[in-house]
Short mmCIF file of all heavy atoms in Angstrom, two decimals:
data_model
loop_
_atom_site.label_atom_id
_atom_site.label_comp_id
_atom_site.label_asym_id
_atom_site.label_seq_id
_atom_site.Cartn_x
_atom_site.Cartn_y
_atom_site.Cartn_z
N ALA B 512 11.59 19.86 24.40
CA ALA B 512 10.71 20.55 23.46
C ALA B 512 9.65 21.40 24.15
O ALA B 512 9.00 22.21 23.52
CB ALA B 512 10.02 19.53 22.58
N ALA B 518 3.86 28.10 16.38
CA ALA B 518 4.18 29.10 15.36
C ALA B 518 5.68 29.35 15.30
O ALA B 518 6.28 29.36 14.22
CB ALA B 518 3.44 30.39 15.68
N ALA B 520 8.01 27.35 16.29
CA ALA B 520 8.67 26.14 15.81
C ALA B 520 8.58 26.05 14.30
O ALA B 520 9.55 25.70 13.62
CB ALA B 520 8.02 24.92 16.46
N ALA B 544 -15.75 14.32 17.36
CA ALA B 544 -15.33 12.92 17.57
C ALA B 544 -16.41 12.14 18.31
O ALA B 544 -16.64 10.96 18.03
CB ALA B 544 -14.00 12.88 18.32
N SER B 580 -17.92 12.11 6.89
CA SER B 580 -18.02 13.34 6.12
C SER B 580 -19.23 14.18 6.55
O SER B 580 -19.23 15.39 6.42
CB SER B 580 -18.09 13.04 4.62
OG SER B 580 -19.23 12.27 4.35
N GLY B 597 -8.86 -4.87 -2.26
CA GLY B 597 -10.07 -4.06 -2.16
C GLY B 597 -10.51 -3.73 -0.75
O GLY B 597 -11.61 -3.23 -0.55
N THR B 603 -4.67 -9.86 7.83
CA THR B 603 -3.71 -10.27 8.86
C THR B 603 -3.24 -11.66 8.49
O THR B 603 -4.05 -12.59 8.40
CB THR B 603 -4.36 -10.27 10.25
OG1 THR B 603 -4.70 -8.93 10.59
CG2 THR B 603 -3.43 -10.84 11.30
N ASP B 632 19.12 12.73 -10.46
CA ASP B 632 19.80 12.15 -9.30
C ASP B 632 21.31 12.05 -9.51
O ASP B 632 22.05 11.85 -8.55
CB ASP B 632 19.27 10.73 -9.02
CG ASP B 632 17.80 10.72 -8.63
OD1 ASP B 632 17.26 11.81 -8.35
OD2 ASP B 632 17.21 9.63 -8.62
N VAL B 692 11.10 -15.93 16.58
CA VAL B 692 10.31 -15.37 17.68
C VAL B 692 8.83 -15.33 17.26
O VAL B 692 8.51 -14.96 16.13
CB VAL B 692 10.79 -13.94 18.02
CG1 VAL B 692 9.93 -13.33 19.12
CG2 VAL B 692 12.26 -13.95 18.42
N PRO B 796 -5.66 21.06 -1.27
CA PRO B 796 -5.06 20.40 -0.10
C PRO B 796 -6.13 19.99 0.90
O PRO B 796 -7.06 20.75 1.17
CB PRO B 796 -4.12 21.46 0.48
CG PRO B 796 -4.60 22.76 -0.06
CD PRO B 796 -5.31 22.48 -1.36
N VAL B 879 0.78 -4.42 24.00
CA VAL B 879 0.43 -4.01 25.36
C VAL B 879 -0.73 -4.85 25.86
O VAL B 879 -1.63 -5.23 25.10
CB VAL B 879 0.06 -2.51 25.44
CG1 VAL B 879 1.28 -1.63 25.16
CG2 VAL B 879 -1.07 -2.13 24.49
N PRO B 884 -10.70 -0.90 33.38
CA PRO B 884 -11.09 -0.43 34.72
C PRO B 884 -12.49 -0.91 35.09
O PRO B 884 -13.29 -1.24 34.21
CB PRO B 884 -11.07 1.10 34.57
CG PRO B 884 -11.33 1.34 33.12
CD PRO B 884 -10.75 0.16 32.37
N MET B 933 -9.89 -10.31 35.26
CA MET B 933 -8.82 -11.19 34.76
C MET B 933 -7.47 -10.77 35.34
O MET B 933 -7.24 -9.60 35.64
CB MET B 933 -8.78 -11.16 33.23
CG MET B 933 -10.05 -11.76 32.60
SD MET B 933 -10.14 -11.46 30.82
CE MET B 933 -8.78 -12.44 30.21
N ASN B 964 35.27 -0.60 12.69
CA ASN B 964 36.67 -0.38 13.06
C ASN B 964 37.25 -1.64 13.69
O ASN B 964 36.53 -2.59 13.97
CB ASN B 964 36.75 0.79 14.05
CG ASN B 964 36.11 2.02 13.48
OD1 ASN B 964 36.30 2.35 12.32
ND2 ASN B 964 35.29 2.68 14.29
N PRO B 981 17.24 27.41 0.71
CA PRO B 981 17.24 26.18 -0.08
C PRO B 981 17.48 26.45 -1.55
O PRO B 981 16.91 27.38 -2.10
CB PRO B 981 15.82 25.64 0.13
CG PRO B 981 15.24 26.40 1.26
CD PRO B 981 15.96 27.70 1.32
N GLY B 986 14.41 20.81 -1.08
CA GLY B 986 14.18 21.34 0.26
C GLY B 986 15.10 20.65 1.24
O GLY B 986 16.31 20.79 1.18
N HIS B 1084 17.69 1.73 6.76
CA HIS B 1084 17.18 3.02 6.29
C HIS B 1084 16.40 3.73 7.37
O HIS B 1084 16.14 3.18 8.45
CB HIS B 1084 16.28 2.82 5.06
CG HIS B 1084 15.08 1.97 5.31
ND1 HIS B 1084 13.87 2.49 5.69
CD2 HIS B 1084 14.91 0.62 5.26
CE1 HIS B 1084 13.00 1.50 5.85
NE2 HIS B 1084 13.60 0.35 5.60
N ASP B 1092 12.67 7.22 0.54
CA ASP B 1092 12.49 7.36 -0.91
C ASP B 1092 13.42 8.43 -1.50
O ASP B 1092 13.73 8.41 -2.68
CB ASP B 1092 11.04 7.73 -1.24
CG ASP B 1092 10.09 6.54 -1.10
OD1 ASP B 1092 10.53 5.40 -1.33
OD2 ASP B 1092 8.91 6.77 -0.79
N LYS B 1100 25.24 -5.91 3.00
CA LYS B 1100 25.46 -7.16 2.31
C LYS B 1100 25.93 -8.19 3.31
O LYS B 1100 27.00 -8.05 3.91
CB LYS B 1100 26.50 -6.97 1.21
CG LYS B 1100 26.58 -8.18 0.36
CD LYS B 1100 27.07 -7.89 -1.03
CE LYS B 1100 27.01 -9.17 -1.80
NZ LYS B 1100 28.22 -9.38 -2.57
N ASN B 1108 37.40 -11.47 3.46
CA ASN B 1108 38.81 -11.24 3.15
C ASN B 1108 38.89 -10.91 1.69
O ASN B 1108 39.38 -11.67 0.91
CB ASN B 1108 39.65 -12.48 3.39
CG ASN B 1108 39.30 -13.13 4.71
OD1 ASN B 1108 39.17 -12.41 5.69
ND2 ASN B 1108 39.11 -14.43 4.70
N ALA B 1121 34.41 -20.12 -10.52
CA ALA B 1121 34.01 -20.95 -11.67
C ALA B 1121 35.24 -21.09 -12.56
O ALA B 1121 36.24 -20.39 -12.37
CB ALA B 1121 32.88 -20.28 -12.44
N VAL B 1180 39.99 -3.09 -17.00
CA VAL B 1180 38.89 -4.05 -17.11
C VAL B 1180 37.83 -3.50 -18.07
O VAL B 1180 37.50 -2.33 -18.03
CB VAL B 1180 38.26 -4.30 -15.72
CG1 VAL B 1180 37.04 -5.20 -15.84
CG2 VAL B 1180 39.29 -4.91 -14.79
N ALA B 1198 23.07 9.31 -19.54
CA ALA B 1198 23.11 10.20 -18.36
C ALA B 1198 22.96 9.38 -17.09
O ALA B 1198 23.63 9.65 -16.09
CB ALA B 1198 21.99 11.25 -18.46
N ASP B 1206 35.74 5.67 -20.69
CA ASP B 1206 35.48 4.46 -19.91
C ASP B 1206 35.43 3.24 -20.83
O ASP B 1206 34.92 3.32 -21.95
CB ASP B 1206 34.13 4.58 -19.17
CG ASP B 1206 34.17 5.63 -18.09
OD1 ASP B 1206 35.10 5.59 -17.27
OD2 ASP B 1206 33.28 6.51 -18.09
N VAL B 1212 22.47 -4.94 -26.10
CA VAL B 1212 21.05 -5.17 -25.89
C VAL B 1212 20.71 -6.61 -26.30
O VAL B 1212 21.12 -7.07 -27.37
CB VAL B 1212 20.21 -4.17 -26.71
CG1 VAL B 1212 18.72 -4.43 -26.50
CG2 VAL B 1212 20.55 -2.73 -26.31
N ARG B 1220 20.00 -16.51 -21.68
CA ARG B 1220 19.80 -17.96 -21.60
C ARG B 1220 21.13 -18.70 -21.70
O ARG B 1220 21.42 -19.58 -20.91
CB ARG B 1220 18.88 -18.43 -22.73
CG ARG B 1220 17.40 -18.35 -22.42
CD ARG B 1220 16.60 -19.20 -23.40
NE ARG B 1220 16.81 -18.82 -24.81
CZ ARG B 1220 16.18 -17.81 -25.40
NH1 ARG B 1220 15.33 -17.07 -24.71
NH2 ARG B 1220 16.41 -17.50 -26.66
N GLY B 1227 13.05 -17.98 -21.66
CA GLY B 1227 12.39 -17.29 -22.76
C GLY B 1227 11.54 -16.14 -22.28
O GLY B 1227 11.25 -15.21 -23.02
N GLU B 1257 33.42 -3.05 -5.29
CA GLU B 1257 34.79 -3.17 -4.74
C GLU B 1257 35.21 -4.63 -4.72
O GLU B 1257 36.32 -4.97 -5.07
CB GLU B 1257 34.85 -2.61 -3.31
CG GLU B 1257 34.74 -1.10 -3.25
CD GLU B 1257 34.79 -0.59 -1.81
OE1 GLU B 1257 35.58 -1.14 -1.02
OE2 GLU B 1257 34.04 0.34 -1.50
#
Side-chain angles (χ1 to χ4, degrees):
S580 62
T603 294
D632 296 348
V692 178
V879 293
M933 294 170 67
N964 305 316
H1084 61 91
D1092 284 330
K1100 189 154 184 226
N1108 315 315
V1180 175
D1206 292 309
V1212 179
R1220 274 197 302 279
E1257 288 179 39

